[in-house]
Amino acid sequence: MLHHVVLIRFLPAATAEDIARISQQFAGLARQIPGILTLGGGPDVSPEGLQHGFTHGWLVQFVDAAARDAYLVHPAHQAFVSMLKPFVDDVLVSDFPAN
């Protein structure tokens, strides 16, 4: 299994409704793309103050790295990324294998 962490810093102009719609569409990728085991996330609630402005995070769990690679180029993911871009200041992605 492979963990795929996505952290997003939204632009100030992104409304709560925009972010809710984005979250819904992101979650919907799990039904459209094979190889996704789980996909979940939401607003940051950490009290540590180490977010560096990233306000939302998601964890996508893939069957393996090949499933992640297929997800990256899948038309549904590409359409989601295109829809997301106008609302985002920065994105941080990190992948690591499950132990």
Side-chain angles (χ1 to χ4, degrees), residues 30-43:
R31 294 183 300 278
Q32 300 176 59
I33 303 175
I36 296 175
L37 297 173
T38 65
L39 193 163

Side-chain angles (χ1 to χ4, degrees), residues 60-79:
V60 186
Q61 294 179 311
F62 292 100
V63 172
D64 55 23
R68 183 266 329 266
D69 294 347
Y71 157 88
L72 293 175
V73 297
H74 193 282
H77 178 252
Q78 291 297 310

Side-chain angles (χ1 to χ4, degrees), residues 14-35:
T15 66
E17 292 80 16
D18 294 329
I19 295 169
R21 187 178 83 255
I22 289 164
S23 296
Q24 213 172 25
Q25 290 186 11
F26 199 176
L29 294 179
R31 294 183 300 278
Q32 300 176 59
I33 303 175

Side-chain angles (χ1 to χ4, degrees), residues 35-90:
I36 296 175
L37 297 173
T38 65
L39 193 163
D44 174 73
V45 296
S46 174
E48 295 181 279
L50 301 173
Q51 298 86 346
H52 299 279
F54 291 94
T55 60
H56 291 72
W58 287 267
L59 175 63
V60 186
Q61 294 179 311
F62 292 100
V63 172
D64 55 23
R68 183 266 329 266
D69 294 347
Y71 157 88
L72 293 175
V73 297
H74 193 282
H77 178 252
Q78 291 297 310
F80 171 72
V81 169
S82 293
M83 180 277 307
L84 175 67
K85 281 184 179 183
F87 301 97
V88 171
D89 179 43
D90 200 4

